[in-house]
Amino acid sequence: MPSLWLRRLRPSFRIWLLLILLGLGGLLVWLDPWDTPLPGPVPTDDAGEPGYYLEDARLTRFDMEGRAHQRLDSPRLVHTPHDDVIRAVTPVAHLFDQEGRLWIASGDQGRLGPGGNPLTLTGDARLFAPEERWQLDTEILHFDADIGHAWSDTPALLQQPPQHMSGDRFDAWIHDNRARLTDNVRGHHPPEGRTATHEDSEP
C-alpha cells in the first residue's frame, strides 16, 4: 500500500519535461543578463519620414558582372521613400576600380542618390588612394560609381608626401588611375623647396 501511494506521487513524464524546459529557460536568462539595447529614436528631419533605417550597417553594391564594386559602412543608414535617397552618418566607402584597386572615401555625412548613385560626401570629405599614397581633402565630394568619376567643386587639398597641391576643383577617374586639380592651382614640390603655381596639374 505505501509503495502504491509513492508511485502516485511520482511526477509524470509531462511534468518532468515542463520542469526541464523551465530550468533551461531560467539558465538562458541567467547566462544572458544583458538586455538587447532598444533602437534609437526614429530620425526625423527636413528629408521627411524614413521608410526604414539600419544601425551598424554595411551596404554593398554590385556591378553588371556581379562583382562588388562599392561598399558603404555607417553607424546609421536612413532611407526616405519619397525621393529614394539613403542618408548615412559618418560613412566610410570602399570603392573598387576595374583593376581591383581600392579607393577609400569618407565624410561626416553621406547621401546615396536614387538607385544608389551618385554618392555625395559632405563635411571633411576625403578620398584616399592607398596604392598611390595620395589623399584628397575637401568639403563636398561626389562619386559616380557607374563611370568611376569622383569630383569636387569646392576647394581641395591633394597630398602625396612630400608634395601637396590645392585647387578650386578636383577630378579623379579611378578606372584610369588619374587625378586632376584645376582653377587657381598651387603646389609645393620638394626638393626644390619653392612654391609653384600651375593653371592645371595632374599627379
Side-chain angles (χ1 to χ4, degrees):
M1 189 72 175
S3 61
L4 181 60
W5 181 73
L6 288 173
R7 206 174 294 141
R8 287 178 180 172
L9 289 179
R10 185 179 299 162
S12 68
F13 173 76
R14 290 181 182 175
I15 293 175
W16 276 115
L17 185 60
L18 178 62
L19 291 173
I20 290 171
L21 290 175
L22 288 174
L24 286 174
L27 181 62
L28 289 175
V29 170
W30 181 76
L31 289 176
D32 188 20
W34 306 105
D35 292 332
T36 302
L38 295 174
V42 175
T44 55
D45 55 26
D46 296 338
E49 188 72 21
Y52 63 83
Y53 69 95
L54 304 172
E55 295 184 332
D56 296 324
R58 170 171 290 179
L59 179 65
T60 303
R61 295 190 66 211
F62 297 86
D63 61 18
M64 297 299 290
E65 283 79 36
R67 296 173 299 190
H69 68 100
Q70 182 175 318
R71 190 179 80 220
L72 187 68
D73 296 319
S74 171
R76 172 171 286 192
L77 293 176
V78 181
H79 176 262
T80 47
H82 74 277
D83 55 7
D84 191 23
V85 165
I86 294 176
R87 292 167 178 84
V89 177
T90 59
V92 176
H94 293 77
L95 315 170
F96 299 91
D97 64 23
Q98 292 173 345
E99 302 298 322
R101 291 181 296 249
L102 171 66
W103 305 66
I104 302 172
S106 61
D108 293 337
Q109 303 290 330
R111 182 183 188 275
L112 277 171
N117 199 52
L119 170 66
T120 301
L121 300 168
T122 58
D124 292 327
R126 173 171 293 174
L127 180 64
F128 178 56
E131 287 192 16
E132 301 297 325
R133 296 185 306 108
W134 62 255
Q135 173 181 304
L136 171 88
D137 293 284
T138 187
E139 188 60 27
I140 303 175
L141 179 69
H142 309 275
F143 178 70
D144 187 329
D146 292 339
I147 59 175
H149 179 211
W151 75 95
S152 174
D153 295 318
T154 55
L157 174 65
L158 180 63
Q159 302 178 74
Q160 189 179 36
Q163 305 177 72
H164 61 82
M165 306 177 69
S166 62
D168 291 341
R169 178 180 171 87
F170 170 82
D171 290 274
W173 295 268
I174 69 170
H175 299 314
D176 300 327
N177 197 23
R178 184 165 57 95
R180 182 177 67 189
L181 278 169
T182 54
D183 301 332
N184 195 28
V185 176
R186 295 184 179 275
H188 179 65
H189 307 277
E192 290 82 4
R194 64 177 184 269
T195 301
T197 302
H198 310 275
E199 291 181 0
D200 187 49
S201 181
E202 202 165 313

